[in-house]
Amino acid sequence: MKNLALPLLGATMLAFATGAQAQDMAAQPYVGLSAGYHDLATGGDDNAAIGGIVAGVDFPMGETLTLGVEGNYHVGTNIIDSEYGIAARLGFPVGNGSQLYVRGGYQEVNFDLDEIAGAPVPAGLDDTDGDYLVGAGGEFALGNSPARLRVGVDTIAFDSVRATAGVIFKF
């Protein structure tokens, strides 16, 4: 699963660069900071605060729909060392630069095996797991600024719940 990190990062950067070059096509690239809480729902002390970055690009498809792609990278606390993923987005503008969205993609989680075991574990064990991600959220304009308040809730394979909030800046 670790081998997916570079292709996911590459696809996200390609989408971002394509969006930045396609300004005449009304592309809306964005980048931002995100923080939240990820509950892995395994019954133990399996939750973690997370914080990181998001970047992507939306393409308006008329006045009532946007299509987009975004990538994320977060570092965690407790049993999550880090997580990253990529997702396609379907957005529904609700006026004044705000929108509601649903998304689907893939998320990889890098676990802290020493924290899980409560003791050092042998080096070389695979400490990652990933699966499909589905979620929903909203971005809300902050006046006439390019900044947007962002909130979202995701699940990875309906086995975990991840709530995030942050600020993104649209170009």
Side-chain angles (χ1 to χ4, degrees):
M1 295 296 179
K2 288 181 182 180
N3 295 338
L4 289 174
L6 288 176
L8 288 174
L9 181 59
T12 301
M13 296 308 292
L14 178 62
F16 187 75
T18 301
Q21 292 178 352
Q23 289 296 326
D24 58 335
M25 295 175 28
Q28 300 171 342
Y30 60 90
V31 63
L33 299 174
S34 175
Y37 181 80
H38 194 159
D39 184 352
L40 298 172
T42 62
D45 187 15
D46 59 0
N47 48 54
I50 57 173
I53 59 171
V54 296
V57 62
D58 285 332
F59 297 94
M61 302 287 146
E63 294 188 21
T64 60
L65 185 68
T66 64
L67 296 177
V69 63
E70 81 172 24
N72 73 80
Y73 178 81
H74 291 86
V75 294
T77 62
N78 201 7
I79 69 168
I80 295 178
D81 279 338
S82 64
E83 56 182 53
Y84 53 91
I86 190 165
R89 294 180 6 135
L90 182 62
F92 307 95
V94 291
N96 193 30
S98 298
Q99 76 171 339
L100 302 176
Y101 63 85
V102 294
R103 64 180 169 186
Y106 182 83
Q107 191 78 7
E108 185 84 7
V109 179
N110 180 351
F111 295 99
D112 182 343
L113 295 181
D114 291 343
E115 179 75 24
I116 293 170
V121 297
L125 292 177
D126 184 8
D127 61 353
T128 62
D129 192 19
D131 213 328
Y132 66 91
L133 171 133
V134 294
E139 297 167 1
F140 305 98
L142 299 172
N144 291 326
S145 163
R148 308 281 187 270
L149 175 64
R150 172 190 170 113
V151 294
V153 176
D154 301 311
T155 181
I156 301 173
F158 295 97
D159 290 333
S160 70
V161 177
R162 186 176 81 135
T164 57
V167 176
I168 63 169
F169 299 90
K170 289 207 171 188
F171 302 98

